Amino acid sequence: MSKIIGLDNLTVEQVNQELANGAKFIVFLYCFSLIIVTFKRSSNIHFIKAGESTLKHSIKFTLISVLFGWWGIPWGIIYTIQALITNFQGGRDMTEQVMSALRQQPENG
């Protein structure tokens, strides 16, 4: 699983409480092109607390796409638009997948 950003110093109980309050695990899309080759990628997973804006987390990935995504033909334009729409809608919610993966991990002890 990808690194999860935003869980620093939170206990399992605090994470569960945040999730109960509406927190989510989110990834953001970005793309970059080298004229004939276009790459579409996802960010690391971000833990977004309830009521927290995703804008401060998504801006970096949105700017990468705006500046470097358009130049590939034809996928650069298509992937850039997909990334912008996804990021402006708050990113891709991965909460269910993250929780499923965490449940399957053996406990350390």
Short mmCIF file of all heavy atoms in Angstrom, two decimals, residues 74-102:
data_model
loop_
_atom_site.label_atom_id
_atom_site.label_comp_id
_atom_site.label_asym_id
_atom_site.label_seq_id
_atom_site.Cartn_x
_atom_site.Cartn_y
_atom_site.Cartn_z
N PRO A 74 -2.40 12.03 -28.18
CA PRO A 74 -3.61 12.74 -27.75
C PRO A 74 -3.86 12.63 -26.25
O PRO A 74 -4.69 13.34 -25.70
CB PRO A 74 -4.71 12.02 -28.50
CG PRO A 74 -4.28 10.60 -28.50
CD PRO A 74 -2.75 10.67 -28.63
N TRP A 75 -3.16 11.71 -25.56
CA TRP A 75 -3.51 11.38 -24.18
C TRP A 75 -3.21 12.49 -23.19
O TRP A 75 -3.83 12.54 -22.12
CB TRP A 75 -2.85 10.06 -23.77
CG TRP A 75 -3.38 8.94 -24.57
CD1 TRP A 75 -2.76 8.26 -25.58
CD2 TRP A 75 -4.70 8.41 -24.50
NE1 TRP A 75 -3.59 7.34 -26.13
CE2 TRP A 75 -4.80 7.40 -25.49
CE3 TRP A 75 -5.82 8.67 -23.72
CZ2 TRP A 75 -5.96 6.66 -25.69
CZ3 TRP A 75 -6.97 7.94 -23.93
CH2 TRP A 75 -7.04 6.95 -24.90
N GLY A 76 -2.29 13.37 -23.49
CA GLY A 76 -1.97 14.45 -22.57
C GLY A 76 -3.17 15.31 -22.26
O GLY A 76 -3.45 15.61 -21.09
N ILE A 77 -3.89 15.68 -23.28
CA ILE A 77 -5.08 16.52 -23.08
C ILE A 77 -6.15 15.75 -22.31
O ILE A 77 -6.75 16.27 -21.37
CB ILE A 77 -5.61 17.01 -24.44
CG1 ILE A 77 -4.58 17.93 -25.09
CG2 ILE A 77 -6.95 17.72 -24.28
CD1 ILE A 77 -4.85 18.23 -26.54
N ILE A 78 -6.38 14.51 -22.70
CA ILE A 78 -7.42 13.68 -22.06
C ILE A 78 -7.09 13.44 -20.59
O ILE A 78 -7.93 13.66 -19.71
CB ILE A 78 -7.57 12.35 -22.83
CG1 ILE A 78 -8.10 12.63 -24.24
CG2 ILE A 78 -8.48 11.39 -22.07
CD1 ILE A 78 -8.00 11.46 -25.19
N TYR A 79 -5.86 13.00 -20.30
CA TYR A 79 -5.47 12.72 -18.92
C TYR A 79 -5.43 13.98 -18.07
O TYR A 79 -5.75 13.95 -16.88
CB TYR A 79 -4.12 12.02 -18.86
CG TYR A 79 -4.13 10.59 -19.36
CD1 TYR A 79 -2.94 9.95 -19.68
CD2 TYR A 79 -5.30 9.86 -19.51
CE1 TYR A 79 -2.91 8.64 -20.13
CE2 TYR A 79 -5.29 8.55 -19.96
CZ TYR A 79 -4.09 7.95 -20.26
OH TYR A 79 -4.06 6.65 -20.70
N THR A 80 -5.03 15.10 -18.65
CA THR A 80 -4.99 16.35 -17.89
C THR A 80 -6.39 16.75 -17.47
O THR A 80 -6.63 17.12 -16.32
CB THR A 80 -4.34 17.48 -18.73
OG1 THR A 80 -3.00 17.12 -19.01
CG2 THR A 80 -4.37 18.80 -17.98
N ILE A 81 -7.33 16.67 -18.39
CA ILE A 81 -8.72 17.01 -18.06
C ILE A 81 -9.26 16.07 -16.98
O ILE A 81 -9.91 16.51 -16.03
CB ILE A 81 -9.60 17.00 -19.33
CG1 ILE A 81 -9.18 18.17 -20.23
CG2 ILE A 81 -11.08 17.08 -18.97
CD1 ILE A 81 -9.79 18.13 -21.62
N GLN A 82 -8.97 14.77 -17.10
CA GLN A 82 -9.40 13.81 -16.07
C GLN A 82 -8.82 14.18 -14.71
O GLN A 82 -9.52 14.16 -13.69
CB GLN A 82 -8.97 12.39 -16.43
CG GLN A 82 -9.75 11.77 -17.54
CD GLN A 82 -9.22 10.38 -17.89
OE1 GLN A 82 -8.12 10.00 -17.51
NE2 GLN A 82 -10.00 9.64 -18.65
N ALA A 83 -7.52 14.50 -14.68
CA ALA A 83 -6.87 14.84 -13.42
C ALA A 83 -7.48 16.10 -12.81
O ALA A 83 -7.75 16.15 -11.61
CB ALA A 83 -5.37 15.02 -13.63
N LEU A 84 -7.71 17.11 -13.64
CA LEU A 84 -8.27 18.36 -13.13
C LEU A 84 -9.67 18.15 -12.58
O LEU A 84 -10.00 18.65 -11.49
CB LEU A 84 -8.28 19.42 -14.23
CG LEU A 84 -6.92 19.88 -14.76
CD1 LEU A 84 -7.09 20.89 -15.89
CD2 LEU A 84 -6.06 20.43 -13.65
N ILE A 85 -10.49 17.43 -13.29
CA ILE A 85 -11.86 17.17 -12.82
C ILE A 85 -11.83 16.41 -11.50
O ILE A 85 -12.51 16.78 -10.53
CB ILE A 85 -12.68 16.42 -13.89
CG1 ILE A 85 -12.98 17.35 -15.07
CG2 ILE A 85 -13.96 15.86 -13.29
CD1 ILE A 85 -13.59 16.66 -16.27
N THR A 86 -11.03 15.34 -11.44
CA THR A 86 -10.95 14.54 -10.22
C THR A 86 -10.46 15.39 -9.05
O THR A 86 -11.04 15.36 -7.96
CB THR A 86 -10.01 13.34 -10.42
OG1 THR A 86 -10.55 12.52 -11.46
CG2 THR A 86 -9.86 12.51 -9.15
N ASN A 87 -9.40 16.16 -9.25
CA ASN A 87 -8.84 16.97 -8.17
C ASN A 87 -9.78 18.08 -7.73
O ASN A 87 -9.91 18.35 -6.53
CB ASN A 87 -7.48 17.54 -8.57
CG ASN A 87 -6.43 16.45 -8.72
OD1 ASN A 87 -6.64 15.30 -8.34
ND2 ASN A 87 -5.31 16.80 -9.31
N PHE A 88 -10.47 18.72 -8.68
CA PHE A 88 -11.41 19.77 -8.31
C PHE A 88 -12.65 19.22 -7.60
O PHE A 88 -13.33 19.95 -6.88
CB PHE A 88 -11.81 20.61 -9.52
CG PHE A 88 -10.72 21.54 -9.99
CD1 PHE A 88 -10.47 21.69 -11.34
CD2 PHE A 88 -9.95 22.26 -9.10
CE1 PHE A 88 -9.46 22.54 -11.79
CE2 PHE A 88 -8.94 23.11 -9.52
CZ PHE A 88 -8.70 23.25 -10.88
N GLN A 89 -12.93 17.93 -7.80
CA GLN A 89 -14.04 17.29 -7.09
C GLN A 89 -13.61 16.74 -5.73
O GLN A 89 -14.38 16.06 -5.07
CB GLN A 89 -14.65 16.18 -7.94
CG GLN A 89 -15.39 16.69 -9.15
CD GLN A 89 -15.92 15.58 -10.04
OE1 GLN A 89 -15.45 14.44 -10.01
NE2 GLN A 89 -16.89 15.90 -10.87
N GLY A 90 -12.38 17.00 -5.34
CA GLY A 90 -11.91 16.58 -4.02
C GLY A 90 -11.03 15.35 -4.03
O GLY A 90 -10.73 14.81 -2.97
N GLY A 91 -10.64 14.87 -5.20
CA GLY A 91 -9.78 13.70 -5.28
C GLY A 91 -10.60 12.42 -5.37
O GLY A 91 -11.82 12.44 -5.40
N ARG A 92 -9.89 11.31 -5.40
CA ARG A 92 -10.53 9.99 -5.47
C ARG A 92 -10.56 9.39 -4.08
O ARG A 92 -9.53 9.19 -3.44
CB ARG A 92 -9.75 9.09 -6.43
CG ARG A 92 -10.41 7.74 -6.62
CD ARG A 92 -9.68 6.89 -7.63
NE ARG A 92 -9.86 7.49 -8.95
CZ ARG A 92 -9.01 7.34 -9.95
NH1 ARG A 92 -7.93 6.60 -9.80
NH2 ARG A 92 -9.24 7.90 -11.12
N ASP A 93 -11.76 9.08 -3.61
CA ASP A 93 -11.95 8.52 -2.27
C ASP A 93 -11.48 7.06 -2.25
O ASP A 93 -12.02 6.22 -2.96
CB ASP A 93 -13.42 8.62 -1.87
CG ASP A 93 -13.67 8.25 -0.42
OD1 ASP A 93 -12.77 7.71 0.24
OD2 ASP A 93 -14.79 8.51 0.05
N MET A 94 -10.49 6.78 -1.42
CA MET A 94 -9.93 5.44 -1.31
C MET A 94 -10.18 4.83 0.07
O MET A 94 -9.56 3.83 0.44
CB MET A 94 -8.42 5.49 -1.56
CG MET A 94 -8.02 6.07 -2.90
SD MET A 94 -8.57 5.07 -4.28
CE MET A 94 -7.48 3.67 -4.11
N THR A 95 -11.10 5.42 0.84
CA THR A 95 -11.33 5.00 2.22
C THR A 95 -11.69 3.52 2.31
O THR A 95 -11.11 2.79 3.12
CB THR A 95 -12.43 5.86 2.86
OG1 THR A 95 -12.08 7.24 2.72
CG2 THR A 95 -12.60 5.51 4.33
N GLU A 96 -12.59 3.06 1.48
CA GLU A 96 -13.01 1.66 1.55
C GLU A 96 -11.85 0.72 1.24
O GLU A 96 -11.65 -0.29 1.94
CB GLU A 96 -14.15 1.43 0.55
CG GLU A 96 -14.82 0.10 0.69
CD GLU A 96 -16.03 -0.02 -0.20
OE1 GLU A 96 -16.87 0.90 -0.21
OE2 GLU A 96 -16.14 -1.05 -0.90
N GLN A 97 -11.06 1.04 0.23
CA GLN A 97 -9.93 0.19 -0.14
C GLN A 97 -8.85 0.19 0.95
O GLN A 97 -8.27 -0.85 1.25
CB GLN A 97 -9.31 0.65 -1.47
CG GLN A 97 -10.21 0.46 -2.65
CD GLN A 97 -11.12 1.66 -2.92
OE1 GLN A 97 -11.49 2.40 -2.03
NE2 GLN A 97 -11.48 1.84 -4.18
N VAL A 98 -8.58 1.36 1.55
CA VAL A 98 -7.57 1.44 2.60
C VAL A 98 -8.02 0.64 3.82
O VAL A 98 -7.25 -0.14 4.39
CB VAL A 98 -7.29 2.92 2.99
CG1 VAL A 98 -6.43 3.00 4.25
CG2 VAL A 98 -6.62 3.63 1.83
N MET A 99 -9.27 0.81 4.21
CA MET A 99 -9.77 0.09 5.38
C MET A 99 -9.77 -1.42 5.14
O MET A 99 -9.43 -2.20 6.03
CB MET A 99 -11.17 0.59 5.76
CG MET A 99 -11.19 2.04 6.21
SD MET A 99 -10.00 2.43 7.51
CE MET A 99 -10.64 1.47 8.85
N SER A 100 -10.12 -1.84 3.95
CA SER A 100 -10.08 -3.26 3.61
C SER A 100 -8.66 -3.81 3.69
O SER A 100 -8.43 -4.89 4.24
CB SER A 100 -10.65 -3.45 2.20
OG SER A 100 -10.57 -4.80 1.82
N ALA A 101 -7.70 -3.05 3.17
CA ALA A 101 -6.30 -3.48 3.21
C ALA A 101 -5.78 -3.52 4.65
O ALA A 101 -5.04 -4.43 5.02
CB ALA A 101 -5.44 -2.55 2.37
N LEU A 102 -6.18 -2.56 5.47
CA LEU A 102 -5.72 -2.53 6.86
C LEU A 102 -6.30 -3.70 7.66
O LEU A 102 -5.63 -4.25 8.53
CB LEU A 102 -6.10 -1.19 7.52
CG LEU A 102 -5.35 0.03 7.01
CD1 LEU A 102 -5.88 1.29 7.67
CD2 LEU A 102 -3.85 -0.11 7.26
#
